[in-house]
Amino acid sequence: FQRVQSNRAGERVKEGLKHLPNEQVQVLAKVYLEGKSHQETADELTLPLGTVKSRVRLALQKLEVILKR
């Protein structure tokens, strides 16, 4: 039962990510899927650290709204 619930939640998150701008999905993937720090992500994408932090924060806020629907 828990596995089914987990799979459903994962599918909802994947679907929600389709509604986010690519640059936000990119930083979320690096931070949460690849396990990179914000600084490592900033270095890899040649972005300021503040930009990475902002994109992560905005993406999570948008994803939360999308998943509440």
Side-chain angles (χ1 to χ4, degrees), residues 25-42 44 52 56:
V25 174
Q26 187 179 36
V27 295
L28 284 182
K30 292 223 175 267
V31 171
Y32 291 102
L33 298 179
E34 297 177 23
K36 308 272 182 178
S37 69
H38 287 112
Q39 185 62 60
E40 289 170 326
T41 300
E44 284 186 22
V52 170
V56 168

Side-chain angles (χ1 to χ4, degrees), residues 6 11 13 16 21 33 36 39 44 47 50-51 53 55 68:
S6 179
E11 290 301 318
V13 170
L33 298 179
K36 308 272 182 178
Q39 185 62 60
E44 284 186 22
L47 294 169
T51 299
K53 289 181 177 184
R55 287 182 183 177
K68 284 184 179 181

Side-chain angles (χ1 to χ4, degrees), residues 8-22:
R8 285 184 184 160
E11 290 301 318
R12 289 189 66 212
V13 170
K14 284 182 189 177
E15 188 62 33
L17 289 173
K18 293 178 184 177
H19 299 284
L20 299 178
N22 189 47

